[in-house]
Amino acid sequence: MEGHRRTSSDLTCGHEVTYFCRLARPHLVYFPSCSYDGILVNSVEARPVFSSLMQEPFKSIPVIWTVQESSLAHRISEYNSSEMVQILDGWKEVFSRANVIVFPNYILPVMYAAFDSGNYFVIPGSPKVAFQADRLVAKSYDRNVRISLGLGPRDFVIAIVGSQFSYGGHLMDEALVLQAVGPLLQHLQQYSSENSTQTELKVRILSRNVTEKHSPALDVIALNVGFPRGAVEHVAAEYVDNLLGVASLVIYGSCLDEQSFPSVLVQAMSLEKLVIAPDLGMITKYIDDGVNGLLFPRKNIAMLTQVLLQAVSNGELSVLGQKVASVGKIHAKDLMASETIEGYAVLLQNVIKFPAEALTPLSAGEIPLALKQEWKWHLFEHVKHLYHMNESLTGYKILQKIEEEWRSNQKDDARGSTPKIDEAFSTIAWEEERENRIMSIKMRLEEEELKDRSDQTHGTWEEVYRNVKKVDRMKNELHERDEKELERTGQPLCIYEPFFGEGTWPFLHQSSLYRGIGLSSKGRRPGADDIDASSRLPLLNNGYYRDILGEFGAFFALANRIDRIHKNSWIGFQSWRVTARKQVNLSKNAESAMLEAIQTQKHGDAFYFWVRMDQDPRSHANQDFWSLCDTINAGNCRLAVLEAFQRMYGMQLDEDLNSLPHMPNAGGTWSVMQSWVLRTRSFLEFVMFSRMFVDALDAQMYDNHHQTGHCILSLHRDKHCYSRVLELIVNVWAFHSARRMVFVNPETGAMHEQHPLDGRRGQMSIQWFSYATLKSMDEDLAEEYDEEHPDRKWLWPQTGEVFWQGVYEREKNMRQQEKERRKQQTKDKIQRIKKRARQKTIGRYIKPLPDDAGRLNDTRTGD
């Protein structure tokens, strides 16, 4: 996997465009960053990365996959015959994930027809063949290659190649070409006898689909023309590199007019081989007769003999042939570059949605000719070593790995089945198990009957309810706590990492300082102590608001009854995108330095951040805060924020955009990518401000955005709309609420205060951002909702708690009333007991004395 930010020189579009990620290596499978607006995949070896691309949040990122290998296509029939359905289904799913599958020729889409989901696209041409020419030239000097093809060291070799498509007349075309080569055989035999040389003419025909009837027929034709046995042979398609490497010249023997220039001729020309071809339309477009190749009329193949006699002299290429081959190599280096570049330019314009901060690239017709006539070969030098590997294995490694996994799963399934030898024992074991279950059921029934006969005390419903609540509390208090949760309890800071989907898991931390918070109940990490934000804030179950709020959804979910889940005095957030970028991820030194500053209260009630605006790729040199906000929001950030403030504060501000809160460019930088730390108390104050600000933004944009998908803050249909404004708004609140703003170097931990408080005097609008003002506004909204219950669409009540003094008084009165009600119930009960009617006694019962006592009395009397 290789990723980098591409500019105009990379895409030959003349403008700075957007960011792409190129995936080509199989051993790294994590998507590098969500800062990219498109993914270019260059090999089937990149198959493992699709496990992440098919998960949230990467499902919607456009993927353009260029497939140049035929290795997988050759396995499709084998998979079908071997009933490897799982492998086929897996590849179909991966192929359907890509927005566009690009092929460099028209034969590959036919070979991959089994995986076609309607996303195939052909852009003829590729720099790959010319780029690998150096490696292929070395094969022409390899003696073993010539021996494997049945060639001697001095043989003059003619390679006959043709169309990759099968058609009925290809045998006739080969026969006519052999007949035209016949006179050259006689010419070389005469030259060898006159000069006592051992030069022999050998013809090798590149065949893709050779039948049993084809080879004998061709042998008969070769013998009739005059070729000795063994002089004419077929070569399988997989040995095309070897054949072209040792060939003296190459004849294109097919008269089938195709849609693009044959790639086999590009390869031959790149190897400085003389190319002789018929005057087909797609060939004459790129080959000038006598300049970079030789042509013969397709309707008169007999003229091929004259062309061959001009090209061959004294058992080798003539001076004309050598000159033409040399020029052909130069032309082949950038052959079809213009068409390929224009094709990709059109494709990118139709597939990629360019963000507002990127200049729209030129259309294919507007690209300067100098930029599209040749490839940028200097860019390929950095990856040249990757192509020194054995190219015959390209694409096969991932296939072998997947097949091995499939066979391993089949073996595991076979082991899991019960062997026949154990069937008798299993029957006995099941009989014993059945008897034991029957006995246990009988014993349980007897115990339940005895339990029903025993005396049981019955309480009131209130007592039952109280006991159930007590048991629930005990369950929550006695749940097993892992080590990270215990460590987190004793530290002053917890940094939360909002995430959405399994694709983000590799970028989440595992230490006790961090804790994940999932924006959806789906895609949560198994066994991790993550928070389910949607259960704490039902608004996030709505996909529209989950996408548009982003990390702010996690802010609102945590702030909603925060004391139930967050026990630390400081709270922080870090986007998983920061971890993906690595350069701005907090190091251990930075974490320790920040914890020490918090514990010692070095900066007081400060706002710590570690991702700088001036180092953000979206920011241009010396760009101020509001200019950057406009840049990434289609130029409408200031207008949207101004209208939101007007709605928030219920007053008509100056329409001039300069009336926005002042954000000076001098004195420091600002925070981006939602990665910062605050006191928990200050965080709740920021959330109080943010809820009202988000409600104001939603009120002005919801109708149009929800219905059409378009938003004034984006050039295209964008489900995130004002999320880029929310990314920056924390700076406005921190600056104008008089918080210290401290930048923490993510590598060293060094701290530098930005926009010092002393220099801010006279620049802050504290009256609009003070706690008293925000609290008063918050209570006014809560009172309106609590008393009036407006039926209009209103986002604010759904983003957190609705509380004001009236709610407190009402709850206090309700508790007092409940207390009085219970007291009255007790008095009534006592009165009922006192007034209860009692039955009068009918008579007095005197218990008789025992018989022994009577005798004793009688005895005493007698004495």
Side-chain angles (χ1 to χ4, degrees), residues 140 373 548 615 665 783:
S140 61
Q373 279 185 329
I548 207 167
Q615 296 180 358
N665 193 28
E783 181 179 3

Side-chain angles (χ1 to χ4, degrees), residues 171 175 178 212-224 234:
L171 179 59
L178 282 178
E212 295 181 357
K213 298 180 180 180
H214 191 175
S215 295
L218 194 65
D219 291 340
V220 173
I221 295 172
L223 291 175
N224 291 335
H234 284 101

